[in-house]
Amino acid sequence: MTCRVLIGPGKRAAYVREAAGASQDLHAACQLTSMKLSLSKVVSGCRLGTLTNLGKNGVQTMELPGCLLYTKTGSPPHLTHDTLQAIKGVPAVVQLTLSTLVELHEVLEEYKEGIGKFIGMPESVLYCSLHDPGSPCPSGYNNNKTVSIWGYGGRMEMTGSKFMSMQRALQPDWIQCLSDGDTISGETSRKRAKKSVDRSLSFLDECLQLQEKSPELQGSVMVGVIEGGDMLEERLRSARETAKRPVGGFLLDGFQGQAMAKETKLKLMASVTAELPEDKPRLIHGIGKPDEVLECIERGVDVFESFYPYQVTERGCALSFSYDYNPDPEAAVIKQNGIQDAGKNGTEKDINETSKADPEITSFEIF
Amino acid sequence: MPVGTQGTMKGITARQLEALGCRICLGNTYHLGMRPGPELIKQANGLHGFMNWPQSLLTDSGGFQMVSLVELSEVTEEGVRFRSPYDGEEILLTPEKSIKIQNALGSDIMMQLDDVVSSTVRGPRVEEAMYRSIRWLDRCIAANSKPDQQNLFAIVQGGLDPALRTKCLEEMTQRDVPGFAIGGLSGGEAKDRFWRMVTLSTDRLPRGKPRYLMGVGYATDLVVCVALGCDMFDCVFPTRTARFGSALVPWGSLPVKNKQFAKDFRPIDENCDCPTCRRYSRAFLHALFRSETAAMHLLTVHNIAYQLNLMRSIRESIVEQRFPQFVRDFMRTMYGSRERYPPWAMEALASVNITLE
């Protein structure tokens, strides 16, 4: 059994050494305050629950289903701490992306006190994912030993050890393990899907080992990444194998983008979550629109990103939609074929203007 | 007075600005008059309502744009003819129109439309502009439909010519206006001519009415001009320089976006209490500046805090009768040693009996 001691970063290393040395006192010295998921209800596949004992102090909580606070270079886009405070219901868990932080490796190593304090969020729970959801990566750059991350200065190849070295400097609370998710640009062969699973499992084992030896990361939770492209067999294999490792949560990766047919996506999601333990959170990347979020929740997903509001902002739109959702199959078809609700409060003219403005505009926003 | 040209302080909210202690800021008649226009702003409960700004507002007349956007303008006795950069249309900004727009905006302090010439211009144009500004002042006073709610300030012109400026002061001080601005300076003229015009103006302006020195500015200039008798100032410099990655500090400025700050984990100013300095380091701002607008907003907050704090310190020192010592401390902190003190500043301060050791 691994013992997670959640105390301040400066004291962590010393405490762990001390506690390990006094083995009879280990149990007493150990604060068993690792992350806990309590499910209160499951309705039609939708899970309702709470994550507790989060963060460096173990006192933060997160309601499920829930979302992460999207950041770039450690800041929510355009917002400062003060303007963020003016918003009600800001997510408790902050999503950092390695791609926007990778250039700060040296700086953070010298800083020593972790990314949370560096970005002015010392109290927040921090999740570090690999890639920025707003900027999809070019395909074809991963191999058996490395995964490519696209930082501001260009491509950086991450081996397991370089990745963990960066994580030691960041000291996040949750870590998306280094993984090969390059299965989303067009047709993925069975061979490629298998590779994504094999490589990701190999990285997972390597990184878990390195985490054992890193005092700075004793309080951090490794999130296992489930790959497999659009191959059901590979997805199931990935889910089962990943679940055998001591991970704190699961990421359903490779569901971003438009390459996979919607039906396939949803079926695979349901199959994957069916293989996962109930008491660990399921994260997904790349899903942003409200209707898609709801579909994923129905298939057992708990945690989402919140890059979608940012994308809406960047095209000059404001989110405006009713929270009453009727998953009507006919209406769904109409929606897919064009802008529906934008015309509700406007005229025919408005719809045409809106669609001319930006083809990406969804029915959840106004221009 | 920070400058929120288009009805907003770029990058920060009205609430943030108020929380910093700002009690008056600027809006610009030319820009707001173009877009969104006075009619819409009137419907939004004036500029205060449109911006949701609960404190005071001062609007400039649109006159300065004559100088700053001069390729687009032509001045006649009637007014200024502009070609709008917004829609290419020609508009004529007369004293009457400027006041009408400012009445619709509902600002607490309005500026007359003045005939502005750059301080580097010489010759008869300066005299022409000075006399015209007086005539336009009278037209503005006549056009003000809300003299009990909105304070119309005169703007003293005359360039760098003492005779012209004196004449302007003589005339304008005969008009019954609640305040006076000193205009036509801070346009790149030599500093030792600048301060002499400032002091000439303050010598002749009534003691019981506010003196607003337009377009100033840098910390040293603020301190010296307070010593010379000015009360109010506006400048885009602090907010603009923030957007370019520079933080203002008592000893100069820090170009945070420069590499030297990449591993500097101190706040911009250890003695600054603003939201930026309380939470963020130079190193983080440096990292953020490369790609995120939030960096500009954080620097804007700090720079506004710096300016407001400077002015508050000045006021406190005046009230506590130690202003000359404040000036000495300020200069030493800013320049380090006497050899580095700008000569014009020393002369200007000496002229009001403030000697630097």
Side-chain angles (χ1 to χ4, degrees):
Chain A
M1 180 185 72
T2 11
C3 178
R4 302 246 136 84
V5 184
L6 292 168
I7 46 178
K11 295 188 188 127
R12 187 179 283 134
Y15 199 152
V16 169
R17 279 198 298 278
E18 207 189 275
S23 46
Q24 301 111 307
D25 296 326
L26 191 62
H27 225 76
C30 248
Q31 271 178 274
L32 285 168
T33 52
S34 40
M35 170 167 85
K36 184 161 170 268
L37 192 161
S38 318
L39 272 183
S40 59
K41 232 183 238 189
V42 181
V43 180
S44 311
C46 306
R47 294 148 50 93
L48 189 71
T50 317
L51 280 174
T52 53
N53 302 337
L54 301 177
K56 304 270 184 297
N57 299 320
V59 299
Q60 305 263 32
T61 63
M62 176 182 182
E63 298 299 314
L64 302 177
C67 68
L68 310 161
L69 176 67
Y70 175 60
T71 66
K72 296 174 79 180
T73 318
S75 175
H78 310 305
L79 300 176
T80 63
H81 178 84
D82 290 343
T83 45
L84 193 64
Q85 296 303 107
I87 303 171
K88 264 196 281 204
V90 172
V93 181
V94 175
Q95 177 186 12
L96 307 167
T97 57
L98 200 59
S99 51
T100 63
L101 295 174
V102 70
E103 259 110 21
L104 296 176
H105 195 164
E106 251 190 65
V107 173
L108 290 166
E109 273 184 341
E110 202 166 306
Y111 183 66
K112 292 183 177 50
E113 294 180 80
I115 188 71
K117 190 155 176 236
F118 186 69
I119 63 176
M121 297 192 191
E123 307 297 316
S124 298
V125 185
L126 305 169
Y127 165 56
C128 182
S129 68
L130 283 178
H131 308 290
D132 182 298
S135 344
C137 330
S139 173
Y141 288 91
N142 298 341
N143 57 43
N144 289 343
K145 288 273 169 262
T146 68
V147 169
S148 282
I149 306 283
W150 298 81
Y152 291 118
R155 186 170 76 94
M156 300 195 75
E157 280 189 347
M158 292 294 213
T159 56
S161 66
K162 186 167 179 190
F163 172 77
M164 288 306 283
S165 168
M166 182 74 199
Q167 297 300 338
R168 280 195 297 275
L170 289 167
Q171 298 155 39
D173 299 291
W174 302 354
I175 302 170
Q176 171 192 350
C177 192
L178 191 66
S179 53
D180 174 18
D182 186 8
T183 57
I184 60 176
S185 54
E187 291 290 315
T188 312
S189 67
R190 159 167 252 110
K191 194 171 160 194
R192 187 62 186 86
K194 180 175 187 299
K195 263 198 211 156
S196 72
V197 178
D198 291 338
R199 287 174 181 169
S200 302
L201 286 168
S202 159
F203 288 133
L204 179 57
D205 290 334
E206 183 187 356
C207 292
L208 283 170
Q209 272 201 355
L210 289 168
Q211 186 186 7
E212 289 270 303
K213 302 186 205 143
S214 309
E216 308 92 324
L217 297 176
Q218 291 315 302
S220 305
V221 160
M222 190 70 74
V223 173
V225 187
I226 296 161
E227 300 287 353
D230 58 4
M231 304 272 138
L232 177 62
E233 272 177 39
E234 289 304 314
R235 283 281 172 187
L236 293 177
R237 181 169 74 95
S238 181
R240 289 169 189 147
E241 286 300 314
T242 307
K244 289 180 188 166
R245 275 73 170 168
V247 294
F250 300 92
L251 169 64
L252 277 66
D253 198 22
F255 290 105
Q256 302 91 325
Q258 312 296 332
M260 221 190 282
K262 189 176 188 109
E263 278 303 300
T264 316
K265 233 186 239 195
L266 296 178
K267 275 212 183 92
L268 287 173
M269 264 183 228
S271 310
V272 163
T273 58
E275 301 292 324
L276 301 176
E278 272 193 353
D279 64 345
K280 290 180 180 174
R282 298 89 176 268
L283 290 68
I284 196 164
H285 286 174
I287 304 292
K289 284 171 56 199
D291 53 347
E292 292 174 2
V293 168
L294 291 175
E295 284 166 348
C296 295
I297 291 173
E298 286 178 301
R299 284 151 185 87
V301 179
D302 304 318
V303 181
F304 300 81
E305 296 173 310
S306 67
F307 61 90
Y308 175 64
Y310 169 68
Q311 290 178 328
V312 172
T313 305
E314 291 304 290
R315 47 182 179 253
C317 296
L319 283 171
S320 174
F321 59 93
S322 159
Y323 293 154
D324 293 327
Y325 180 65
N326 195 354
D328 178 79
E330 270 191 3
V333 170
I334 296 170
K335 252 194 235 170
Q336 268 168 9
N337 289 341
I339 290 160
Q340 176 75 343
D341 297 332
K344 239 199 287 188
N345 297 325
T347 61
E348 186 65 38
K349 177 171 179 276
D350 286 348
I351 298 176
N352 290 335
E353 267 178 18
T354 313
S355 40
K356 261 193 228 127
D358 188 327
E360 298 292 321
I361 291 183
T362 66
S363 55
F364 300 97
E365 53 202 87
I366 52 175
F367 181 61
Chain B
M1 301 182 286
V3 182
T5 305
Q6 301 198 44
T8 175
M9 201 63 55
K10 289 193 176 76
I12 68 175
T13 63
R15 190 169 293 176
Q16 281 179 290
L17 187 58
E18 192 187 15
L20 286 170
C22 178
R23 292 295 171 259
I24 178 168
C25 70
L26 263 67
N28 186 273
T29 297
Y30 170 75
H31 290 290
L32 293 167
M34 292 298 115
R35 181 184 73 178
E39 278 318 304
L40 194 138
I41 293 188
K42 212 195 247 175
Q43 286 178 55
N45 281 329
L47 189 54
H48 291 86
F50 190 59
M51 287 174 67
N52 200 20
W53 175 245
Q55 302 292 340
S56 301
L57 284 169
L58 185 152
T59 44
D60 185 22
S61 62
F64 182 66
Q65 277 64 45
M66 285 188 233
V67 174
S68 59
L69 303 173
V70 78
E71 289 89 44
L72 303 166
S73 75
E74 188 211 334
V75 185
T76 63
E77 185 62 24
E78 214 189 338
V80 192
R81 198 169 293 277
F82 279 104
R83 185 166 296 283
S84 160
Y86 292 104
D87 56 12
E89 275 194 31
E90 255 203 13
I91 7 102
L92 177 62
L93 187 66
T94 59
E96 291 75 17
K97 180 142 190 221
S98 174
I99 295 304
K100 184 157 186 233
I101 297 173
Q102 293 186 75
N103 278 145
L105 297 176
S107 47
D108 303 280
I109 301 177
M110 312 193 288
M111 304 308 295
Q112 70 157 113
L113 183 67
D114 50 344
D115 186 0
V116 186
V117 292
S118 162
S119 52
T120 51
V121 167
R122 299 276 178 275
R125 178 74 184 102
V126 183
E127 182 167 357
E128 179 194 50
M130 184 273 282
Y131 281 110
R132 181 171 293 143
S133 296
I134 299 171
R135 293 191 292 276
W136 282 4
L137 172 60
D138 289 336
R139 284 167 63 182
C140 286
I141 292 172
N144 183 8
S145 63
K146 297 198 228 153
D148 295 331
Q149 291 162 278
Q150 296 183 260
N151 298 282
L152 174 59
F153 276 27
I155 305 180
V156 177
Q157 295 293 344
L160 300 172
D161 185 326
L164 289 178
R165 202 160 269 274
T166 303
K167 179 65 182 166
C168 196
L169 284 153
E170 265 173 34
E171 288 294 325
M172 287 192 173
T173 49
Q174 290 178 36
R175 275 72 174 169
D176 181 23
V177 285
F180 295 89
I182 301 168
L185 299 176
S186 191
E189 71 280 356
K191 273 301 202 295
D192 51 35
R193 305 197 64 180
F194 159 79
W195 80 261
R196 287 184 164 85
M197 289 298 103
V198 172
T199 211
L200 184 153
S201 305
T202 55
D203 282 346
R204 287 157 181 75
L205 287 169
R207 293 183 74 107
K209 291 184 178 175
R211 295 93 170 268
Y212 165 26
L213 180 57
M214 305 186 82
V216 170
Y218 300 120
T220 303
D221 300 1
L222 291 169
V223 173
V224 172
C225 291
V226 166
L228 298 180
C230 298
D231 305 314
M232 299 160 64
F233 307 86
D234 80 283
C235 197
V236 295
F237 170 66
T239 42
R240 183 175 288 167
T241 207
R243 295 195 297 277
F244 282 89
S246 267
L248 299 177
V249 288
W251 60 95
S253 75
L254 301 179
V256 203
K257 64 175 184 180
N258 285 10
K259 254 201 199 122
Q260 61 180 123
F261 295 101
K263 294 181 185 173
D264 190 338
F265 303 123
R266 297 170 290 176
I268 292 169
D269 180 359
E270 259 144 19
N271 295 318
C272 180
D273 198 36
C274 83
T276 301
C277 290
R278 270 189 265 132
R279 186 172 287 271
Y280 302 101
S281 65
R282 301 170 186 189
F284 176 60
L285 293 167
H286 171 84
L288 203 58
F289 199 83
R290 187 175 184 181
S291 59
E292 296 306 308
T293 64
M296 298 195 294
H297 310 332
L298 290 170
L299 288 177
T300 297
V301 163
H302 168 79
N303 283 3
I304 291 177
Y306 170 78
Q307 296 281 96
L308 296 176
N309 186 51
L310 175 63
M311 300 315 290
R312 187 181 50 247
S313 306
I314 290 173
R315 290 193 299 272
E316 278 171 9
S317 73
I318 294 172
V319 165
E320 292 167 19
Q321 311 216 11
R322 50 176 176 83
F323 179 65
Q325 187 55 41
F326 173 88
V327 177
R328 285 182 208 113
D329 294 339
F330 169 85
M331 295 294 280
R332 202 178 334 109
T333 306
M334 183 61 76
Y335 296 101
S337 63
R338 206 205 156 89
E339 302 92 68
R340 300 215 198 100
Y341 293 359
W344 75 268
M346 296 209 288
E347 271 190 72
L349 292 167
S351 80
V352 287
N353 297 325
I354 297 182
T355 48
L356 308 169
E357 72 290 288

